[in-house]
Amino acid sequence: MSMIAAFYSGKSILITGATGFMGKVLMEKLFRTSPDLKVIYILVRPKAGQTTQQRVFQILNSKLFEKVKEICPNVHEKIRAIYADLNQNDFAISKEDMQELLSCTNIVFHCAATVRFDDHLRHAVQLNVTATQQLLLMASQMPKLEAFIHISTAFSNCNLTHIDEVIYPCSVEPKKIIDSMEWLDDAIIDEITPKLIGDRPNIYTYTKALGEMVVQQESENLNIAIIRPSIVGATWQEPFPGWVDNLNGPSGLIIAAGKGFLRSIRATPMAVADLIPVDTVVNLTLAVGWYTAVHRPKSTLIYHCTSGNLNPCNWREMGFQVLATFEKVPFERAFRRPNADFTTNTITSQYWNAVSHRAPAIIYDFYLRLTGRKPRMTKVMNRLLKTVSMLEYFVNRSWEWSTYNTEMLMSELSPEDQRVFNFDVRQLNWLEYIENYVLGVKKYLLKEDMAGIPEAKQHLKRLRNIHYLFNTALLLIAWRLLIARSQMARNVWFFIVSFCYKFLSYFRASSTLKV
Ligand SMILES: CCCCCCCCCCCCCCCCCCCCCCCCCCCC(=O)SCCNC(=O)CCNC(=O)[C@H](O)C(C)(C)COP(=O)(O)OP(=O)(O)OC[C@H]1O[C@@H](n2cnc3c(N)ncnc32)[C@H](O)[C@@H]1OP(=O)(O)O
Ligand SMILES: NC(=O)C1=CN([C@@H]2O[C@H](COP(=O)(O)OP(=O)(O)OC[C@H]3O[C@@H](n4cnc5c(N)ncnc54)[C@H](OP(=O)(O)O)[C@@H]3O)[C@@H](O)[C@H]2O)C=CC1
């Protein structure tokens, strides 16, 4: 019997960010392994015209929850969706709901965050720092609370190259930042943002670091742990391989590459691609929840959930396998044939951006205009290149994360728990994982049918022929222009033509003699 699964039975669990990528997988695993849990409270806001109830209904009816519904048919009765907006005071939770949350919650998993790299500092501070502080305040009023698990990121200190499982302070106290956000206007905030984030690449990593400081400062009477996952990717094994539902991290780039929009990137091929499957993160999170509640460590423990030091894979290997999978299962209606050029040089990268990305987009838009349609490719390409430029920081560096706490926890688990809540990335086969990831992107993000593969392959063949035809035509035009302008080129051309003519005449004469 799994001790971790048994621990969650009968418990009331509060999850923030349950409608997000990681939150859904966390909920799914909890219901699947501990169907006897009492209730999962989730803080949800209405979004995109859907009420909170409609959002929950949609999640429960998704493919991700198919197994859960077999194991725990009354799952909908065990989810309590609480209307909440983490941007607002007291999260805009009603008095009754708040009362219930405070008096019943046993475990808190805080996953909600803004993960956008370019969010405005005020909004990112509100969500990643102030909301964390408010949630901790709520937690301190929960008499039955056994553990509070905060999800951070391994990149919160990405300005360092070796990162230990400790909290590194930021130069300005989070409380001062929170206060200043209340009275500074947007223009001043924009001005001071670069100074505040310093040598971090974006507002996201900076505000997650501030969030960790808040956790440390408010942790006095609470039983807290922090998880720091690296780049979270599709599921490895559970509930099935390759599940993914958003474009963050590599997923969006896999689409862009598979559809032939993105064919080169400024990336260091030998840099470690520190991906971690979302189910691995969730397994570690649940194990940490159990360990923190049962063993009550004296200080706040931080757990790195990374792959690089235990089972490294570099970007070259990853890109190679992604391309190999495109050969087997191509994406439908690709713009160009997928390709992967890595360059570490900024000038070469700009050259490839012009030749491989912008020029085809301009030509395609010209074609759309000619055929009376609205041009759109240049706009799509500009947005993609903006996204790529924001992700480039992470594919041109390697980090070393120590994983003592994570390994210690692994050794504390029973063999059954090590199996059911497996977070040992040494067992991960990258080639298999990446193939399933690409397949998952095709199935769950692009919603493409496997029956369309022959047609997709046919389409790629047509694109290859167009490519050859286009290059040949380009070469001929260039050559024609050259011989029109240069005597030297003309001489070379006449020499080649007369040489070919002589060779053919000789060949014809010798074959006539033989007869
Ligand atoms: C070296 C690799 C090989 C490369 C080879 C060369 C190319 C050939 C490829 C072969 C195979 C390549 C496959 C492997 C690629 C691996 C690359 C992996 C890079 C991973 C880096 C991750 C770093 C993560 C570090 C920290 C981790 C975390 O803690 S948090 C989670 C990460 N957070 C994010 O990823 C959020 C990032 N997104 C944003 O911040 C914003 O969306 C934006 C700033 C990028 C854009 O904002 P904007 O307001 O302009 O637009 P928005 O409305 O948000 O979206 C615009 C359109 O772009 C789409 N979109 C959004 N995100 C992505 C994305 N990550 N990739 C691609 N597209 C994205 C979005 O859907 C919109 O589309 P439309 O609706 O159609 O307009
Ligand atoms: N994905 C990754 O690569 C990594 C993620 N992390 C961390 O993991 C955690 C989960 O990330 P992930 O699941 O990928 O992110 P998602 O963007 O998929 O999910 C974010 C969640 O936060 C919720 N949220 C955002 N704003 C509010 C708000 N104002 N009120 C209520 N809820 C809100 C979202 O709700 P809604 O659906 O309503 O928008 C959503 O449920 C985050 O803390 C992130 O920093 C760490 C490392 C890597």
Side-chain angles (χ1 to χ4, degrees):
M1 168 72 179
S2 156
M3 282 197 291
I4 299 177
F7 165 76
Y8 288 105
S9 290
K11 293 280 192 301
S12 300
I13 299 155
L14 168 61
I15 302 181
T16 69
T19 50
F21 178 44
M22 202 182 294
K24 285 180 205 160
V25 180
L26 178 64
M27 259 200 308
E28 193 278 339
K29 176 87 184 200
L30 267 169
F31 280 124
R32 189 155 42 81
T33 50
S34 307
D36 293 335
L37 61 80
K38 191 167 176 200
V39 62
I40 296 186
Y41 297 111
I42 60 174
L43 302 190
V44 198
R45 54 181 174 170
K47 200 177 176 184
Q50 284 189 310
T51 63
T52 55
Q53 287 308 331
Q54 284 167 334
R55 293 190 73 189
V56 175
F57 184 76
Q58 193 180 34
I59 293 174
L60 290 184
N61 282 308
S62 65
K63 177 149 176 66
L64 184 71
F65 277 75
E66 274 175 7
K67 275 192 188 160
V68 161
K69 284 200 284 188
E70 283 168 24
I71 296 169
C72 180
N74 62 339
V75 57
H76 54 281
E77 288 166 14
K78 295 204 174 208
I79 291 194
R80 253 280 276 126
I82 291 186
Y83 175 98
D85 183 348
L86 271 59
N87 283 325
Q88 294 187 38
N89 248 350
D90 286 336
F91 302 156
I93 299 176
S94 74
K95 259 195 185 147
E96 302 74 53
D97 286 343
M98 184 62 95
Q99 202 47 50
E100 185 176 343
L101 281 178
L102 295 184
S103 58
C104 302
T105 305
N106 301 117
I107 318 280
V108 177
F109 292 107
H110 179 34
C111 304
T114 167
V115 301
R116 290 183 67 91
F117 292 158
D118 65 339
D119 221 337
H120 192 263
L121 186 66
R122 190 195 302 283
H123 183 246
V125 166
Q126 171 58 43
L127 211 61
N128 296 349
V129 193
T130 315
T132 302
Q133 191 187 42
Q134 277 195 39
L135 193 67
L136 286 160
L137 188 70
M138 272 173 67
S140 67
Q141 299 164 47
M142 294 174 174
K144 293 186 186 162
L145 190 74
E146 297 172 47
F148 182 109
I149 311 302
H150 174 74
I151 310 294
S152 185
T153 164
F155 294 98
S156 53
N157 302 292
C158 58
N159 49 329
L160 307 174
T161 45
H162 178 90
I163 302 159
D164 282 317
E165 287 160 308
V166 296
I167 290 172
Y168 297 90
C170 299
S171 55
V172 183
E173 277 292 304
K175 281 187 184 125
K176 283 194 184 153
I177 302 279
I178 294 173
D179 288 345
S180 62
M181 291 300 125
E182 274 167 25
W183 57 271
L184 287 178
D185 68 28
D186 282 356
I188 298 180
I189 292 180
D190 289 343
E191 211 164 293
I192 61 169
T193 300
K195 292 193 184 86
L196 286 174
I197 67 173
D199 49 4
R200 287 188 176 78
N202 54 45
I203 287 173
Y204 168 69
T205 50
Y206 173 63
T207 52
K208 289 298 278 190
L210 287 176
E212 288 185 3
M213 282 181 77
V214 164
V215 171
Q216 188 185 40
Q217 289 166 358
E218 312 283 330
S219 64
E220 219 170 278
N221 302 314
L222 292 169
N223 209 9
I224 301 191
I226 297 177
I227 318 259
R228 285 184 183 152
S230 47
I231 303 171
V232 182
T235 52
W236 167 22
Q237 291 166 319
E238 292 178 81
F240 45 85
W243 182 82
V244 58
D245 84 336
N246 72 22
L247 292 173
N248 288 339
S251 310
L253 292 197
I254 290 175
I255 295 185
K259 293 278 184 186
F261 294 116
L262 182 69
R263 291 165 52 96
S264 96
I265 191 167
R266 195 175 70 77
T268 306
M270 300 317 279
V272 175
D274 209 299
L275 247 67
I276 190 87
V278 62
D279 46 339
T280 306
V281 183
V282 160
N283 285 345
L284 174 70
T285 303
L286 291 174
V288 168
W290 161 78
Y291 185 80
T292 311
V294 172
H295 293 267
R296 306 183 74 83
K298 284 194 191 75
S299 59
T300 299
L301 292 187
I302 294 155
Y303 298 84
H304 283 159
C305 192
T306 54
S307 56
N309 61 338
L310 296 174
N311 183 4
C313 175
N314 62 41
W315 289 112
R316 191 175 68 103
E317 291 162 337
M318 198 154 285
F320 207 73
Q321 184 60 11
V322 171
L323 279 187
T325 312
F326 292 152
E327 287 287 322
K328 282 197 249 174
V329 277
F331 292 173
E332 290 170 14
R333 293 185 298 279
F335 175 58
R336 294 184 68 196
R337 281 179 72 78
N339 187 29
D341 283 319
F342 301 92
T343 170
T344 46
N345 184 299
T346 317
I347 296 173
T348 324
S349 156
Q350 280 169 357
Y351 168 79
W352 283 121
N353 270 350
V355 171
S356 250
H357 298 140
R358 293 192 201 279
I362 292 171
I363 293 170
Y364 188 70
D365 274 352
F366 181 65
Y367 163 74
L368 287 181
R369 249 185 247 272
L370 278 183
T371 50
R373 283 173 285 174
K374 204 173 156 218
R376 58 188 161 83
M377 199 49 77
T378 312
K379 202 170 151 202
V380 170
M381 197 55 86
N382 286 341
R383 290 183 86 166
L384 174 66
L385 293 182
K386 179 188 153 197
T387 300
V388 170
S389 71
M390 289 202 181
L391 299 179
E392 270 176 359
Y393 178 92
F394 300 95
V395 289
N396 281 289
R397 287 166 179 76
S398 292
W399 287 268
E400 243 179 61
W401 286 279
S402 60
T403 47
Y404 298 113
N405 289 339
T406 307
E407 289 174 64
M408 172 282 292
L409 179 59
M410 212 180 299
S411 67
E412 290 284 317
L413 300 192
S414 66
E416 176 68 352
D417 277 332
Q418 286 180 355
R419 189 183 63 76
V420 180
F421 295 90
N422 182 12
F423 53 87
D424 186 356
V425 283
R426 284 169 297 202
Q427 295 168 20
L428 183 89
N429 176 334
W430 281 109
L431 299 188
E432 208 177 278
Y433 174 67
I434 295 163
E435 184 167 318
N436 285 329
Y437 194 160
V438 174
L439 269 166
V441 165
K442 183 174 169 69
K443 276 198 245 171
Y444 308 116
L445 281 180
L446 294 172
K447 314 252 185 271
E448 290 183 5
D449 199 330
M450 293 298 147
I453 289 176
E455 168 53 29
K457 284 190 174 164
Q458 209 48 44
H459 178 70
L460 288 187
K461 268 193 197 147
R462 279 197 294 274
L463 286 179
R464 190 193 50 198
N465 294 343
I466 293 174
H467 177 80
Y468 287 154
L469 211 70
F470 183 82
N471 279 2
T472 314
L474 212 65
L475 209 73
L476 286 177
I477 292 170
W479 183 241
R480 186 70 194 86
L481 287 176
L482 197 69
I483 57 173
R485 271 154 214 266
S486 146
Q487 182 60 47
M488 170 105 115
R490 264 198 302 275
N491 290 345
V492 173
W493 178 238
F494 287 132
F495 174 75
I496 294 171
V497 172
S498 59
F499 180 79
C500 290
Y501 181 73
K502 276 183 195 150
F503 180 76
L504 278 177
S505 312
Y506 169 78
F507 186 71
R508 216 186 300 151
S510 60
S511 52
T512 319
L513 275 179
K514 267 183 208 160
V515 173

